[in-house]
Amino acid sequence: MTKGHVFLVGFMGSGKSTVARLVAAAIGRPSVDLDEVVELSSGRPVPEIFAEDGEEAFRGAETQALLSLSEQPPSVVACGGGVVLRPENRAALKRMGTVVFLSVSAAEALARIGDVSTRPLLSGAGGALAATALLAAREGLYRSVADVVVDTEGRTPDEVAEAVVAALGGVS
Ligand code: S3P
């Protein structure tokens, strides 16, 4: 099994949080949700941080949360969908563990999310368009950090988790 953390990256709605819990249980590691680490340290939910302090402030807190994991035991980490935006985050992900990109189409991501009110970047007018544009802008970044790519389209979280565990077996 791989050294360091296992980081799940991918778009909102790609299933990172659910799959992280399933993979963690399967390989006997703790699971960590990076958005929850940010929420715990700032004492507010993510949409409130966006509304009150703006996206850049959230990104700063997200970087701090990511770097803080270097002192934690090897875990399976569900990252926020925008973690790949900052070059320093991309370097930290590569340095600190194995990165798994869970790919999904914008249409399926939106269908899975359903209520977008907890996703500030999608909750404005034109959420569907925003999702398509954001995903197109990020796809290359997800692939650039990924050691492994697992397609989640049309698959259940259990099926995706099984594919992730199988793929990790082949990563040193
Ligand atoms: C974001 C994704 C969210 C959260 C924040 C920003 C993004 O996490 O970090 O709303 O920029 O894609 P999830 O991917 O867990 O929804």
Side-chain angles (χ1 to χ4, degrees), residues 2-74:
T2 132
K3 288 194 222 79
H5 294 294
V6 174
F7 293 106
L8 303 187
V9 302
F11 204 58
M12 294 168 268
S14 59
K16 301 174 300 264
S17 303
T18 307
V19 172
R21 284 191 292 272
L22 293 169
V23 171
I27 66 175
R29 289 188 181 191
S31 79
V32 173
D33 191 299
L34 202 59
D35 281 347
E36 284 178 15
V37 178
V38 171
E39 291 181 334
L40 273 176
S41 68
S42 69
R44 287 172 296 169
V46 169
E48 223 168 285
I49 304 173
F50 267 75
E52 291 173 1
D53 301 344
E55 180 171 350
E56 270 315 293
F58 170 79
R59 297 295 170 207
E62 185 176 49
T63 297
Q64 289 308 311
L66 176 62
L67 296 179
S68 77
L69 298 182
S70 64
E71 282 136 39
Q72 301 300 320

Side-chain angles (χ1 to χ4, degrees), residues 100-127:
V100 180
F101 168 35
L102 302 185
S103 70
V104 69
S105 68
E108 183 154 335
L110 280 170
R112 287 184 194 162
I113 292 169
D115 173 12
V116 292
S117 66
T118 58
R119 305 305 208 283
L121 294 177
L122 302 180
S123 55

Side-chain angles (χ1 to χ4, degrees), residues 136-155:
R138 288 178 178 176
E139 180 91 24
L141 295 177
Y142 292 133
R143 289 190 187 278
S144 76
V145 291
D147 297 293
V148 174
V149 180
V150 173
D151 186 10
T152 75
E153 197 75 6
R155 292 166 114 177

